[in-house]
Amino acid sequence: MADTKAPLDWSSARVIVTGGAGFLGRSVVRVLRERGASRVMVPRSAQFDLTQPAGAAAMYAAAARALGGPPTHVIHCAGFVGGIGANRAWPARMLHDNLAMGVKVVEAARAAGLVGPGPEHVHVTLVSTMCIYPADAPLPFSEAHIFGGPPDAEIAPYGLGKRLLLTMLHAYRAQHGLKGAYVIPVNLFGPGDNVDDERRSHVAGALLRRFVDAAAAREPEVACWGSGAPTRDFIYVDDAAEGLVRCAELVDDATPINIASGQETSIRDLATLIARAAGFSGRIAWDTSKGDGVARSCLDIARARERLGWSPRIGLEEGMRRTVEWYRERRA
């Protein structure tokens, strides 16, 4: 059964959305504004380096001035993210930047006197990643299995850094009364994705760019990494943002919650679907020298349904159609 708490009145909230100019963050800001939030601050990395204590402290001081008082909510979407290429290229940065940002955002709030159990204290929502799950976790991945073993070796630095932030939330709750939520989204796709740098783009966005560009150029073939056999779970970005905001509204005990479609789709089937949506009729070539990564992944969304009354609304085919239209307009 969904949580029975009264709906949050966002019109009186003062909200920081780190990463609010990014792919997921922009959708989160839009959802907040649709719910009545008028005081929302989106800090930019050029001004606030959240990997450093001074940067996080300066963000809270600036928020108090800009929002007319200390923040009531922080939704931490900022991160150094990317696909398997980014994890291979920058494992140290994947671990350091994501762990450091989460730690500094929470600790700076505590140091500023914002953390506690009362209604006047800040609520912190951290955005995690499906990379936290053990490589051999049973499918679909349930939140109960998070600490059951190490993640796949190629994504372990990123996954373990994000996993430690869940432990941090519980520790700060136990010692300081921190109110918080921990959201685990799967592979995002949708309009606004970072499709310009394949090492940092999501897999769906990287494939979409290749197929739309190839269709426009009438190319006979598109090359894709790996064998196409691995499965992944994909969610439309607006659905993910809706689930994230629901967590900020209803969860304050640091319970981890998966936000996903709950469905497995092979990379081969994804490529075929995108090719069809893009109007590409050529050959799909699979470069098996690149490797596949994790063989299968899919998240259990029973807890999201029960605690949040949430489930995704936009299916993969409809969402990809919308994303192809967005990218075509962007190319034009």
Side-chain angles (χ1 to χ4, degrees):
M1 179 178 291
D3 200 304
T4 57
K5 291 180 183 177
L8 182 65
D9 180 9
W10 286 105
S11 66
S12 61
R14 297 181 295 273
V15 191
I16 297 175
V17 181
T18 71
F23 180 37
L24 175 59
R26 286 195 302 271
S27 287
V28 169
V29 170
R30 180 187 55 74
V31 171
L32 289 170
R33 295 203 183 281
E34 288 175 353
R35 280 166 156 70
S38 59
R39 289 180 287 180
V40 179
M41 175 184 170
V42 176
R44 304 306 295 266
S45 59
Q47 186 176 4
F48 306 102
D49 181 357
L50 298 182
T51 67
Q52 301 299 318
M59 177 187 73
Y60 284 111
R65 295 190 297 270
L67 301 176
T72 59
H73 292 78
V74 175
I75 299 179
H76 179 51
C77 298
F80 184 73
V81 300
I84 193 70
N87 280 273
R88 289 170 177 165
W90 304 297
R93 187 175 178 190
M94 287 296 235
L95 186 151
H96 172 269
D97 285 15
N98 289 293
L99 177 58
M101 278 189 271
V103 169
K104 300 304 187 295
V105 164
V106 171
E107 171 58 18
R110 184 210 61 78
L114 304 179
V115 170
E120 73 280 9
H121 292 119
V122 72
H123 180 287
V124 178
T125 301
L126 297 185
V127 178
S128 185
T129 169
M130 64 180 295
C131 295
I132 66 173
Y133 278 103
D136 59 354
L139 289 173
F141 297 165
S142 165
E143 296 91 345
H145 298 135
I146 289 172
F147 293 100
D152 181 81
E154 284 198 309
I155 57 174
Y158 179 44
L160 290 174
K162 286 286 196 175
R163 188 190 288 185
L164 189 56
L165 295 178
L166 175 57
T167 300
M168 179 195 67
L169 281 187
H170 285 289
Y172 273 70
R173 179 176 177 80
Q175 184 171 341
H176 303 296
L178 173 67
K179 299 176 295 182
Y182 187 87
V183 184
I184 309 167
V186 284
N187 298 280
L188 301 172
F189 74 97
D193 198 356
N194 172 22
V195 297
D196 296 321
D197 180 353
E198 286 204 354
R199 288 190 297 181
R200 296 201 60 194
S201 64
H202 300 87
V203 60
L207 289 174
L208 181 139
R209 176 177 178 173
R210 291 185 199 177
F211 283 109
V212 174
D213 288 354
R218 300 181 183 274
E219 294 177 2
E221 179 179 286
V222 167
C224 299
W225 282 17
S227 67
T231 63
R232 298 291 183 265
D233 189 337
F234 298 95
I235 187 169
Y236 193 64
V237 64
D238 289 349
D239 280 338
E242 187 77 26
L244 199 162
V245 172
R246 291 287 287 165
C247 281
E249 291 173 337
L250 296 172
V251 180
D252 62 12
D253 58 3
T255 298
I257 296 185
N258 290 333
I259 297 296
S261 74
Q263 298 180 346
E264 279 187 90
T265 301
S266 73
I267 301 300
R268 186 177 296 275
D269 287 346
L270 175 70
T272 301
L273 185 154
I274 295 174
R276 185 168 61 246
F280 175 78
S281 57
R283 177 174 175 266
I284 301 175
W286 296 94
D287 181 359
T288 56
S289 69
K290 298 297 186 183
D292 279 336
V294 177
R296 296 176 66 191
S297 63
C298 178
L299 270 58
D300 183 349
I301 60 172
R303 182 176 289 178
R305 289 192 175 112
E306 294 166 2
R307 289 281 309 255
L308 311 177
W310 173 92
S311 58
R313 296 178 297 174
I314 306 298
L316 185 58
E317 188 166 357
E318 170 62 17
M320 201 56 67
R321 183 190 64 77
R322 296 183 186 187
T323 312
V324 166
E325 289 179 358
W326 161 78
Y327 182 61
R328 281 177 173 155
E329 292 175 1
R330 183 178 180 273
R331 288 181 84 250

